[in-house]
Amino acid sequence: MIKELTLLRKNKLAWREKDEPRITNPHEAIIRPFVASRCDGDSIFLFHNYSNAIRLGAHIHFLDKKVIDVFGKNPLQPPFCVGHECIGEVVETGDEVSSFKKGQVVIVPWAISCGVCNNCSSGFYSNCSDTGSNTLLSAYGFGQSMGDWGGCVSDLLKVPFADKMLIELPENINPYHCSSLSDNIADAYRTVGPQLKKNPNVPVLILGGAAKSIGLYAASLAIALGASRVDYLDDDVARLQIAESVGANPVDMKGKVSIDRFSASLLKTGYPIVVDASGSIKKLNFGIRNLSPGGICTSTAFYLRKETPLPLWEMFIKSATLHVGISHPRRDIPEILPLISSGSFKPEKIISLTANWSDATEAYLENTTKLILRREPVFDENKKRYQFY
């Protein structure tokens, strides 16, 4: 038997036992996570009874019906094991796994992907069409809503397509700093990385908020990638302090009557790159209106309403682009690792709380920006390599 951190109901977690996962396919691997992090999006089920709210919202046509298509008829219904960001050790592999062996330290992406279907081959790994799961998205940490894959805050985790899914962590990178590579760091990278490669040394505007750590990771990555200026807007003092610590210009929105008042603090000519991590339709619109001609706004927040108003006329006049979608860590992690290795991107600066694995039931419910759970590795070479403190 193994133990996994299980959501029982909102604001209530407990360690529950389940059968130990077994290799049943030669392409599988068993991983022992020893560092995990809480995704920004986990708050939708940790602190709210979203199952009933989503069902009601879809029934009265307030929410897009595709929400039910993604999350199922019992959306995010407890109990289920939580967590979809982790780094762990390989403890067992199937006979046909060739790229990984026992003891290797690996990053486990949040979404299940085969690596060879048309979607995966096009870079849309998290939209894999060949997972064998009867869900639109297949992932860890969401219960039956995205397939019964278990969660990352668990003694052991099965990875179905080990050679195609897993990514080895370079020896010079501290795993206790970057388990969010599984999702949130990669999510942040897609908002600024490709854009700054195409259009280097330009200013970036970031709207912080509901996607707490993603906006901050985006700010830090933009600085590392050479943005000429990064303006970070938020109403949370702690996040503004973190933004300043990574080199961004913090703009405090707290207590202001209208978001439009902040235009005086921003570039009059607009921004080629805007990141929406706010979860606010008003702020999303504000970000789009502050695009420069030809600019691109990428949103990482969830907008579940049936209709979300957008300033389409202004987008039309400016030839602007709005990019929405899920993260694809299996595609983007290889682009991020060199930035961490070189020291230009320091993901540890975004961490606001580190807790022992055994304290997960309390720590996972803390009101904090980025939580990291950790325990010691089990293999001697990894114990020597990574100092646990």
Side-chain angles (χ1 to χ4, degrees):
M1 302 294 285
I2 63 168
K3 289 184 178 180
E4 58 182 18
L5 186 64
T6 304
L7 177 69
L8 304 180
R9 58 181 182 275
K10 70 173 185 177
N11 296 312
K12 182 66 176 179
L13 294 157
W15 292 105
R16 290 287 180 90
E17 289 189 341
K18 66 175 290 187
D19 291 338
E20 183 174 326
R22 304 288 184 183
I23 297 288
T24 57
N25 183 291
H27 297 286
E28 296 172 345
I30 303 295
I31 309 299
R32 178 189 179 268
F34 66 93
V35 55
S37 43
R38 187 182 69 191
C39 170
D40 296 344
D42 284 354
S43 62
I44 67 173
F45 53 76
L46 286 173
F47 308 115
H48 308 279
N49 185 1
Y50 256 68
S51 186
N52 290 338
I54 289 175
R55 282 198 297 266
L56 176 61
H59 178 71
I60 64 175
H61 306 293
F62 178 75
L63 299 184
D64 192 311
K65 66 177 182 179
K66 281 292 182 181
V67 175
I68 295 295
D69 291 344
V70 171
F71 291 124
K73 294 181 179 179
N74 296 300
L76 303 172
Q77 180 68 51
F80 60 86
C81 180
V82 299
H84 58 266
E85 296 185 342
C86 76
I87 291 173
E89 299 168 291
V90 178
V91 296
E92 185 182 357
T93 60
D95 292 341
E96 295 187 25
V97 175
S98 59
S99 300
F100 299 95
K101 61 183 180 181
K102 185 181 292 188
Q104 278 185 281
V105 176
V106 294
I107 307 159
V108 184
W110 71 278
I112 309 300
S113 59
C114 71
V116 297
C117 69
N118 287 337
N119 289 343
C120 289
S121 298
S122 299
F124 299 105
Y125 290 89
S126 300
N127 294 115
C128 178
S129 60
D130 196 23
T131 65
S133 178
N134 189 29
T135 57
L136 288 181
L137 294 177
S138 297
Y140 297 111
F142 294 95
Q144 293 292 340
S145 293
M146 295 190 190
D148 192 18
W149 300 100
C152 290
V153 190
S154 176
D155 288 341
L156 295 173
L157 187 70
K158 182 190 284 193
V159 178
F161 306 100
D163 281 331
K164 301 297 183 181
M165 275 185 60
L166 297 174
I167 299 174
E168 184 176 14
L169 186 75
E171 291 186 6
N172 66 332
I173 293 180
N174 188 333
Y176 296 118
H177 294 166
C178 57
S179 54
S180 266
L181 282 165
S182 298
D183 187 5
N184 286 172
I185 293 176
D187 206 0
Y189 177 82
R190 72 182 175 94
T191 68
V192 295
Q195 296 85 334
L196 283 167
K197 277 189 175 182
K198 184 178 180 180
N199 197 8
N201 196 35
V202 298
V204 176
L205 173 63
I206 297 174
L207 304 171
K212 296 179 180 180
S213 72
I214 296 174
L216 293 168
Y217 283 131
S220 185
L221 283 162
I223 297 292
L225 291 164
S228 61
R229 166 175 171 167
V230 177
D231 290 331
Y232 177 86
L233 278 66
D234 207 330
D235 60 4
D236 183 88
V237 173
R239 292 198 295 270
L240 288 165
Q241 291 173 344
I242 294 173
E244 187 173 23
S245 76
V246 301
N249 172 39
V251 180
D252 190 352
M253 301 168 61
K254 196 173 185 66
K256 301 295 184 181
V257 176
S258 170
I259 188 172
D260 294 323
R261 287 192 174 186
F262 296 98
S263 295
S265 305
L266 305 179
L267 294 177
K268 299 293 187 293
T269 54
Y271 298 78
I273 301 170
V274 172
V275 179
D276 168 47
S278 71
S280 162
I281 295 173
K282 183 180 291 187
K283 293 175 184 176
L284 170 62
N285 276 261
F286 178 81
I288 292 172
R289 292 188 186 281
N290 276 277
L291 284 170
S292 58
I296 178 169
C297 174
T298 304
S299 178
T300 67
F302 300 151
Y303 295 102
L304 307 181
R305 284 175 50 175
K306 185 178 180 181
E307 297 178 355
T308 300
L310 296 172
L312 292 179
W313 174 247
E314 186 159 352
M315 293 176 66
F316 175 79
I317 294 299
K318 289 183 176 179
S319 300
T321 299
L322 172 62
H323 183 206
V324 298
I326 56 179
S327 67
H328 300 279
R330 187 60 186 83
R331 177 193 66 201
D332 292 332
I333 289 172
E335 300 291 326
I336 306 168
L337 291 177
L339 298 173
I340 302 177
S341 293
S342 69
S344 59
F345 170 51
K346 299 180 182 296
E348 64 270 26
K349 288 194 171 186
I350 312 303
I351 299 170
S352 56
L353 177 63
T354 300
N356 290 327
W357 199 270
S358 57
D359 296 326
T361 53
E362 295 81 21
Y364 218 79
L365 296 173
E366 288 287 337
N367 181 20
T368 192
T369 294
K370 196 66 199 180
L371 165 70
I372 301 293
L373 297 173
R374 63 183 186 181
R375 57 182 172 177
E376 265 198 313
V378 292
F379 291 91
D380 288 340
E381 62 267 30
N382 296 328
K383 289 181 180 179
K384 294 175 183 176
R385 183 179 301 141
Y386 307 120
Q387 183 179 4
F388 179 75
Y389 56 89

